[in-house]
Amino acid sequence: SLPLLHPFYDSLRGVGLADMCYALVNGRRSRCHYDIGLHAIEVIHGIQESCKTGRIYEMTTKCQRPEAVPMSTASRTGQEAVLDN
């Protein structure tokens, strides 16, 4: 049994959308930028190609790792204002 390191609340569905909105308002890059999705799709494609050919797939995309969402966002009080940076 491992100790719980961070609290978990089941009402976090809107955090990604809230971050995207605050990013647009503040002119900053959203944590769920399209290049992350594109890179993830290429990873899946690369695994499939590697399995088919038996060769190492050379990735062509890169993505910037976003900063972590502050843990205070996951509070029961809904402090998504911490995303307003």
Side-chain angles (χ1 to χ4, degrees):
S1 177
L2 297 173
L4 185 62
L5 299 177
H6 301 288
F8 175 77
Y9 303 107
D10 58 356
S11 62
L12 297 176
R13 289 185 178 156
V15 172
L17 180 58
D19 175 67
M20 191 179 298
C21 293
Y22 281 114
L24 287 169
V25 167
N26 293 307
R28 69 167 169 80
R29 181 181 163 98
S30 171
R31 287 177 177 87
C32 52
H33 197 264
Y34 76 89
D35 67 343
I36 296 171
L38 178 62
H39 189 69
I41 290 170
E42 188 185 7
V43 167
I44 294 167
H45 172 73
I47 291 169
Q48 290 175 332
E49 287 297 309
S50 184
C51 289
K52 285 180 194 175
T53 64
R55 296 182 177 179
I56 295 173
Y57 178 83
E58 297 290 331
M59 297 289 292
T60 60
T61 61
K62 296 181 185 273
C63 64
Q64 181 180 341
R65 183 178 181 176
E67 290 183 30
V69 174
M71 282 308 298
S72 57
T73 307
S75 72
R76 290 182 195 259
T77 59
Q79 298 174 354
E80 69 272 356
V82 299
L83 299 171
D84 196 12
N85 56 1

